[in-house]
Amino acid sequence: MGHESNASREQTGLRVLVITAVAAERDAVLRGLRGDARFDVVAGGVGPAAAAASATKALAAAGYGLVVSAGIGGGFPGRAEIGSLVVADAIIAADLGAETPEGFRSVDELGFGSSRIAVDASLAARLTEALQRAGLPAHTGPVLTVSTVTGTAATASELAARVPGAAAEAMEGFGVAAAARDRGLPVLELRAISNAVGPRDREAWRIKEALDALEAAGAILLEVLR
């Protein structure tokens, strides 16, 4: 994280915390942001628990006006192709609930809270439109947070049925969003698609292409928030 004083950072406008899972994602975002002092980008670890802990720690240490969960992820076939970008219109903990004889029941159905966190809808729409104007393939839709990455067609179909319109899955968004919600801060989730959600085929993954797309998206995010 940066070392500028609070006063000098506040003069630059909205301060933004970006949480990625790993260093490669962090570095891609940083390249896109081109050293803009308004942004702190943290590789917070894999999974919702690590992401929530890292976001909470960063938010306690400094004042921010926006939190972004960013990284690569899987795209649902027919909704987000490999190499494209997804801007979440909702962040959903897709496997937070219980198995029952009748099938999966979410925490919402169980009465234990909510598995869905809203994003800043206006900003998400502006970012999506800006990405598309820049010639980048960008989609919007629910982004699912899972603790176990999908590896079969059956699980992919079940998730798609559970959350109609699901565009992407990743492992950190809900944790980051929960930390932002606890602070009363708006949140976005941005995913660059490296693979299709479904049968696990590492040979078909395009991680470099997804990281390049994430870098390009960082540059557009920078312009949108000017």
Side-chain angles (χ1 to χ4, degrees):
M1 294 174 63
H3 299 286
E4 297 88 351
S5 70
N6 285 343
S8 65
R9 291 296 295 275
E10 287 169 1
Q11 290 172 1
T12 67
L14 178 73
R15 290 189 66 183
V16 182
L17 174 65
V18 182
I19 301 289
T20 70
V22 298
E25 295 167 322
R26 178 198 62 204
D27 293 346
V29 173
L30 284 170
R31 289 193 297 272
L33 295 174
R34 301 192 292 271
D36 191 295
R38 295 171 297 162
F39 294 82
D40 286 327
V41 187
V42 177
V46 175
S54 296
T56 298
K57 180 180 178 180
L59 290 171
Y64 295 96
L66 174 68
V67 182
V68 181
S69 175
I72 65 175
F76 281 86
R79 292 285 297 166
E81 65 275 11
I82 293 173
S84 69
L85 295 155
V86 173
V87 180
D89 63 12
I91 299 171
I92 299 172
D95 55 7
L96 184 60
E99 286 187 323
T100 77
E102 293 74 36
F104 177 83
R105 295 186 65 190
S106 69
V107 291
D108 311 68
E109 296 171 292
L110 295 169
F112 296 151
S114 178
S115 61
R116 178 183 293 256
I117 295 178
V119 301
D120 184 318
S122 174
L123 186 53
R126 285 170 50 205
L127 177 57
T128 304
E129 291 165 4
L131 291 167
Q132 292 169 345
R133 285 197 304 271
L136 297 170
H139 317 277
T140 188
V143 175
L144 310 188
T145 299
V146 294
S147 294
T148 302
V149 171
T150 299
T152 68
T155 301
S157 296
E158 181 183 344
L159 288 173
R162 190 180 299 169
V163 184
E169 77 166 18
M171 301 180 73
E172 294 78 33
F174 192 83
V176 174
R181 180 178 61 184
D182 186 61
R183 292 270 171 168
L185 295 173
V187 65
L188 293 177
E189 184 168 7
L190 172 64
R191 291 289 161 183
I193 302 305
S194 60
N195 58 280
V197 176
R200 187 173 176 82
D201 178 8
R202 286 300 300 268
E203 294 299 318
W205 288 22
R206 297 293 180 265
I207 292 177
K208 181 183 183 303
E209 290 88 336
L211 291 172
D212 288 344
L214 189 62
E215 177 181 346
I220 300 303
L221 178 64
L222 178 62
E223 296 302 320
V224 168
L225 294 179
R226 282 201 187 281

